[in-house]
Amino acid sequence: MAERPYIVGNWKMNGTRAMLSEARAIDRAAQRYMKAEVAVAPPYTLIHAVHREAEQIGVGAQDCFPGEDGAHTGDISANMLADAGAKFVILGHSERRMDHRETNKLINAKIESALEAGLRIILCCGESLEKRDAGEAEDFVLKQLAASLPKIEDAAERLTVAYEPIWAIGTGRTATTKDIAAMHKAIRGLLDEAYGEETSAEVRILYGGSVKPENAREILSTPEVGGALVGGASLSAESFLGIVVAASESEDA
């Protein structure tokens, strides 16, 4: 598994220029916790501004359009993201899959476009509570992931996978560490098959779903958890940095 835990804040549809002070605070503090790799994905409107503020943290985007350019009113291409200063893009998040009816095929097309633009990818996957209760969680997630994985050469070198059980996003609920470990192990097995064990070992698997400073240490100490994709707790530098500290300390354990 890659050496440093990867802690990524997904600001979702939150943030105006007033939040640049939070970005500055996160960036300055991240310079003191080099055992963790830290990044944030602000809304499109703040990517360039946060990129200019950032000296240490990575800056990314929350989505992209699969095409390079053209008559696509309101859409933003991967090339545009890179031009604004983004280094990665989150794709396949459950909120995009559900709210915008995004299919695995579309997500795969977005991934390939983003890779062509030189961006790193955070590919999300996760099951609903209904799938979990029916005992179908692992089968569902692996099929979802297999259909979305990029097939182009060297894709794995710029890939991160984020497992986010849908029922744990923004609800205050988290999966048990036993459930997290089992799913991450299954995902690792799929990555081994897709890319080979040596290459797969460099792909970090993040956990997302109500990660907070209070539970971060336990989650990040779980086998095969290579970091966290953080939603609400990333909107405040204080709470987000509590997770970064937990990640840094988990490296010392």
Side-chain angles (χ1 to χ4, degrees):
M1 188 159 57
E3 292 183 359
R4 292 197 296 169
Y6 192 23
I7 309 300
V8 183
N10 177 13
W11 286 7
K12 305 189 180 184
M13 197 175 71
N14 297 287
T16 61
R17 291 184 65 84
M19 275 192 68
L20 289 178
S21 60
E22 299 293 331
R24 281 193 292 271
I26 292 168
D27 185 71
R28 303 306 179 263
Q31 296 177 40
R32 303 196 303 271
Y33 298 102
M34 299 296 289
K35 291 184 178 180
E37 182 178 354
V38 182
V40 296
Y44 292 132
T45 52
L46 290 181
I47 291 173
H48 182 62
V50 174
H51 170 66
R52 292 184 63 182
E53 296 286 345
E55 296 179 5
Q56 180 62 39
I57 62 173
V59 181
Q62 301 170 24
D63 186 44
C64 72
F65 185 76
E68 291 187 13
D69 50 36
H72 306 289
T73 302
D75 288 313
I76 297 179
S77 71
N79 285 326
M80 291 174 177
L81 296 180
D83 184 61
K87 302 301 182 186
F88 68 92
V89 59
I90 299 169
L91 295 170
H93 194 282
S94 62
E95 291 161 0
R96 298 292 309 181
R97 291 179 187 269
M98 292 188 300
D99 298 346
H100 298 272
R101 307 291 193 273
E102 292 195 356
T103 63
N104 294 326
K105 182 178 180 180
L106 174 60
I107 292 162
N108 182 264
K110 289 184 177 188
I111 290 171
E112 295 197 357
S113 179
L115 289 171
E116 289 292 334
L119 298 176
R120 293 166 59 188
I121 307 298
I122 298 177
L123 171 58
C124 300
C125 57
E127 82 282 3
S128 66
L129 184 59
E130 290 75 17
K131 293 292 185 183
R132 167 65 58 177
D133 288 345
E136 301 172 359
E138 185 175 307
D139 183 62
F140 177 84
V141 168
L142 294 184
K143 286 181 177 178
Q144 185 183 65
L145 186 58
S148 303
L149 282 177
K151 307 299 192 297
I152 65 177
E153 187 177 357
D154 299 329
E157 296 177 6
R158 287 182 283 151
L159 175 68
T160 297
V161 173
Y163 167 57
E164 293 194 304
I166 297 170
W167 48 271
I169 299 174
T171 64
R173 297 179 59 184
T174 56
T176 67
T177 53
K178 181 179 178 180
D179 288 338
I180 295 171
M183 187 64 78
H184 279 232
K185 180 180 179 181
I187 291 171
R188 177 65 64 198
L190 176 64
L191 293 172
D192 287 347
E193 292 180 10
Y195 301 120
E197 291 186 15
E198 184 176 350
T199 301
S200 165
E202 298 303 313
V203 180
R204 288 174 288 197
I205 307 173
L206 314 184
Y207 174 76
S210 297
V211 179
K212 303 181 287 291
E214 296 79 12
N215 61 23
R217 183 189 295 272
E218 182 180 22
I219 291 171
L220 293 168
S221 298
T222 303
E224 290 292 358
V225 174
L229 182 58
V230 185
S234 70
L235 299 177
S236 158
E238 181 179 3
S239 61
F240 188 50
L241 290 170
I243 298 169
V244 173
V245 170
S248 297
E249 292 176 349
S250 72
E251 286 294 279
D252 294 328

